[in-house]
Amino acid sequence: SGQHRVARKAVQLLAPVGDPEKVICVGLNYHDHCQEQTVKVPKEPLIFSKFPSAIAGPFDDIVHPQDTSELDWEVELAAVIGKRGRHIQEEVALEHVLGFMVANDVSARDWQMRNGRQWLLGKTFDTFCPLGPAIVTREAVPDVHNLWIRCSVNGRRMQDSNTRHLIFGVPTLVSWVSRFVTLVPGDILLTGTPAGVGAFRKPPVFLKRGDEVQCEIEELGTICNRVV
C-alpha cells in the first residue's frame, strides 16, 4: 500500500549495522578530493579505521566533542561485506558485498592533522559514523560506480560529485583490504569522500552545534544528523 505500518515519527531508525567487527576507511580516494588539497593521487589505497562505537543511526545526533574546534563532514559510499573472504580476487570481489549505504565520516581535523596526527582518534569519537538509512542490496544498484553523491550543511550544498571519480573502486578496495585481514559478514568499508569538505575551503568552514548535515547518494537514500 505504500503506507507505514508504524508511524515514522514514533520510531527511531538505528544504523543498519550497529556492531560490526571492523569499520575500514579509505583516505584520498576521489580525484577531486586530491585536487582540492593539491596532493598526488595515491598509487595504493590509504587505509585507516574507526571503532564500531563511533556508529550512529541515520537520523541520530552528532555530538560535538569539547576536545575539537574543527569538526568536519565527509559524505561517503559505504559497502557492507556479506561473505567471508581472505585474499579475494578483484574479479569476484563484488560477490563478497551484501550491499551499500550512505555514511558520514565525521572528522576532528585538529586531531587528524595536528595534535600528533592522530588519524584514528580524530575519526572515531562517539557518533562520528552515522550510517543508513538502509542497506540497499548490491543487485538493486545498477552501477555503484556511477552515482551522484552529495552533502549539505544547513541546506547549503557543500559536496556534489559522482562515484565515477573514485580512484579505487569497490572491487579493488575489497581485494586490497583482504590481503591483510579476513573480511567477515557485517564488516563496513567506507570508500572515501569527494571534494568540498570544510577543512580545505578558503577560509575553512567547520561544524558548530545546531548545524544540520544531510548526506545523500543516488539510489541509496539520505541520512540527516544534527550537531549537538
Side-chain angles (χ1 to χ4, degrees):
S1 67
Q3 301 298 311
H4 296 295
R5 287 179 173 268
V6 179
R8 174 65 185 86
K9 294 181 179 180
V11 299
Q12 176 190 10
L13 286 183
L14 303 179
V17 182
D19 189 23
E21 181 177 293
K22 294 183 285 294
V23 181
I24 303 160
C25 308
V26 186
L28 297 176
N29 198 33
Y30 276 79
H31 288 280
D32 52 5
H33 188 45
C34 291
Q35 291 169 2
E36 72 175 345
Q37 301 178 58
T38 319
V39 297
K40 294 181 179 180
V41 172
K43 295 181 179 180
E44 297 174 335
L46 301 177
I47 305 298
F48 62 96
S49 66
K50 289 177 178 278
F51 292 132
S53 54
I55 290 176
F59 305 106
D60 288 347
D61 292 335
I62 298 169
V63 178
H64 191 310
Q66 295 181 349
D67 300 277
T68 181
S69 59
E70 298 183 357
L71 192 66
D72 208 346
W73 58 84
E74 290 191 6
V75 62
E76 304 207 7
L77 168 72
V80 182
I81 299 299
K83 178 182 176 183
R84 183 183 182 95
R86 179 81 195 278
H87 298 296
I88 300 167
Q89 296 300 308
E90 191 169 326
E91 296 75 24
V92 297
L94 279 180
E95 297 176 13
H96 290 259
V97 175
L98 170 66
F100 305 96
M101 53 187 173
V102 183
N104 186 354
D105 177 18
V106 183
S107 305
R109 299 299 190 190
D110 35 10
W111 283 94
Q112 179 189 356
M113 298 178 181
R114 294 189 296 279
N115 295 6
R117 297 186 67 85
Q118 298 271 4
W119 270 61
L120 176 63
L121 292 183
K123 295 281 191 173
T124 203
F125 283 89
D126 289 354
T127 73
F128 270 26
C129 191
L131 296 172
I135 299 173
V136 179
T137 58
R138 170 172 48 86
E139 294 80 5
V141 182
D143 182 3
V144 74
H145 299 107
N146 188 23
L147 304 174
W148 52 253
I149 177 170
R150 298 168 179 161
C151 177
S152 300
V153 178
N154 300 327
R156 178 187 173 193
R157 184 69 51 79
M158 295 297 193
Q159 293 179 276
D160 192 348
S161 189
N162 192 289
T163 57
R164 65 173 174 266
H165 299 304
L166 281 164
I167 296 166
F168 303 104
V170 175
T172 300
L173 294 174
V174 170
S175 178
W176 172 263
V177 172
S178 74
R179 289 173 55 183
F180 307 95
V181 298
T182 300
L183 294 174
V184 300
D187 282 351
I188 298 170
L189 176 63
L190 272 60
T191 58
T193 198
V197 299
F200 301 111
R201 291 179 171 269
K202 298 180 180 179
V205 178
F206 296 111
L207 295 170
K208 60 186 184 301
R209 293 175 182 86
D211 285 346
E212 186 175 85
V213 186
Q214 180 170 296
C215 297
E216 52 184 333
I217 301 178
E218 184 180 4
E219 303 288 348
L220 306 185
T222 301
I223 64 176
C224 188
N225 308 91
R226 182 171 294 276
V227 181
V228 299

